Amino acid sequence: YRMARNKHESRLQELIGFAKQKNIEVRTEKLLREVGYRTHSGRCRVNGRELILLDRDASISDQIEFLATALAEASADAA
């Protein structure tokens, strides 16, 4: 289990590094949850810069999946 976790953490860091190369900021934050709505990771623009927020409470595999998808979408948008 520990080996798999380290592998996932390494993959997440690789994706974050790739995002930085593309001038996309990635932040892992505790996203507030309240009754009536669910929060989740997301991609947006702030002051003209691309920003991806990852839900810190999501599993590492979910963070990897979301980030990989968001980076693919960002690349498609830039093309």
Side-chain angles (χ1 to χ4, degrees), residues 8 13 19 23 28 35 43-44 48 52 55 57 59 61 64 74 77:
H8 282 321
Q13 292 307 313
N23 204 28
T28 304
V35 175
R43 178 177 152 229
C44 62
I52 296 173
D55 183 355
D57 293 334
S59 68
S61 59
I64 290 169
D77 290 349

Side-chain angles (χ1 to χ4, degrees), residues 3 27 32 42 51:
M3 183 75 146
R27 294 197 318 224
L32 297 176
L51 172 65

Side-chain angles (χ1 to χ4, degrees), residues 10-29:
S10 294
R11 179 67 181 136
L12 183 59
Q13 292 307 313
E14 283 175 20
L15 288 169
I16 290 170
F18 179 75
K20 284 182 182 173
Q21 290 175 4
K22 299 290 182 186
N23 204 28
I24 299 171
E25 181 181 356
V26 177
R27 294 197 318 224
T28 304
E29 298 192 4

Side-chain angles (χ1 to χ4, degrees), residues 7 11 14-15 27 41 45 52-53 57 63 70-71 75 78:
K7 187 176 179 185
R11 179 67 181 136
E14 283 175 20
L15 288 169
R27 294 197 318 224
S41 300
R45 287 180 97 52
I52 296 173
L53 292 173
D57 293 334
Q63 290 179 33
L71 290 172
S75 293

Side-chain angles (χ1 to χ4, degrees), residues 30-52:
K30 183 168 184 68
L31 302 179
L32 297 176
R33 288 169 172 74
E34 299 210 6
V35 175
Y37 68 89
R38 289 187 50 204
T39 60
H40 51 84
S41 300
R43 178 177 152 229
C44 62
R45 287 180 97 52
V46 178
N47 295 327
R49 286 194 43 137
E50 195 81 24
L51 172 65
I52 296 173

